[in-house]
Amino acid sequence: MNTIFFYIGSYFIGNFLTAHFLVKFIRKKGDIHTQGSGNPGARNIGRLYGKKAFVITFLGDALKGSLVILIGKILNLSEIELLFGLTLTVIGHIKPIIFHLKGGKGVSTFIGGIITFEPLLALLIIIVFIIIYPMSKSFTIAGLASFCMIPVAVSYLYKSMDLLFVLSTLIVIIILAHSENLFKKMGHT
C-alpha cells in the first residue's frame, strides 16, 4: 500500500513547477507558459529573468527528484521502485495534470533524482558532457548524450537488467520531451 501512495505522490510532486510559482512571485500575475518559449523550465526562466531565477528554478525542480528518492529510501523501497517513482516524478513534471499537461522537459528533476539515487553518476554526467559539448556546441545534445550513458553505468554498478530497462525508459521519455528541439537543431546542421 505504501508503494502505491509513493507512486501517486511521486507523480504529483512532479506537478510542482518551480518556474510557475517563481514567476507568480516575481510578477504577481505572470504565467511562464505565455513567456519566452512557454516552457516552465530553468533555461526559459533564466533567459527571461536572469541567472538567479535559473538557479532557483533548476534547484527547485531538482529537489523534486531528490525528495522522491529520499522518501523512497525512508520507506525502504527497492532500487527498481525508487527509479519507477523518479520516472513518475519526471512524467509529472513533463505532463502535469494541474497545468493541463503543459510542463517542462524533466531534466532538472531527473538530475536531482538520479544523483540522489547514485551520487557517482554526477561525475559520469559531467565527463560525458565535457566530451560531447565541444563537438555538438549544444547543451541539449551534450546533456542528453550524458544521460544515455546512465542506464549502462547503473546496470553495471547494480548488476541489474531491470534497472537498465527502467532507466532506459526514463531516458527515452526525456528525449521525447526534447524531440521538437532536437529536430530544430538537426535542421540547422
Side-chain angles (χ1 to χ4, degrees):
M1 199 60 160
N2 279 347
T3 311
I4 300 297
F5 285 124
F6 172 71
Y7 291 153
I8 293 167
S10 296
Y11 172 79
F12 281 103
I13 286 171
N15 277 225
F16 180 90
L17 301 178
T18 308
H20 171 81
F21 294 102
L22 186 59
V23 168
K24 291 284 185 203
F25 177 76
I26 294 169
R27 298 190 64 202
K28 305 298 182 226
K29 291 183 179 177
D31 181 3
I32 190 65
H33 291 99
T34 61
Q35 299 175 44
S37 69
N39 186 319
R43 284 180 69 187
N44 187 37
I45 202 166
R47 280 189 215 107
L48 294 166
Y49 296 101
K51 288 179 187 166
K52 209 179 279 187
F54 171 87
V55 170
I56 292 168
T57 303
F58 177 83
L59 293 176
D61 287 344
L63 186 62
K64 297 187 302 190
S66 291
L67 184 64
V68 165
I69 296 296
L70 291 172
I71 291 169
K73 286 183 176 184
I74 290 166
L75 295 172
N76 288 318
L77 299 179
S78 68
E79 283 97 2
I80 202 91
E81 291 167 327
L82 293 175
L83 291 177
F84 189 67
L86 178 59
T87 302
L88 290 170
T89 308
V90 169
I91 291 170
H93 180 84
I94 295 170
K95 295 290 182 188
I97 199 162
I98 293 169
F99 294 103
H100 309 290
L101 306 179
K102 293 179 183 168
K105 306 287 191 211
V107 170
S108 304
T109 302
F110 173 71
I111 290 172
I114 202 67
I115 290 173
T116 304
F117 177 80
E118 178 52 71
L120 281 174
L121 294 173
L123 193 59
L124 175 71
I125 292 168
I126 292 166
I127 289 169
V128 175
F129 185 91
I130 288 170
I131 292 168
I132 301 294
Y133 182 74
M135 293 182 278
S136 68
K137 300 282 191 250
S138 165
F139 280 101
T140 302
I141 291 170
L144 293 176
S146 64
F147 292 173
C148 287
M149 298 306 296
I150 290 172
V152 176
V154 168
S155 67
Y156 175 78
L157 289 170
Y158 290 85
K159 308 284 187 260
S160 168
M161 291 306 289
D162 291 340
L163 293 180
L164 175 70
F165 175 75
V166 172
L167 272 172
S168 297
T169 302
L170 179 48
I171 301 301
V172 167
I173 290 167
I174 292 172
I175 290 171
L176 289 173
H178 284 84
S179 59
E180 192 177 317
N181 289 353
L182 290 171
F183 286 129
K184 282 180 189 171
K185 288 188 185 308
M186 288 175 187
H188 289 302
T189 55

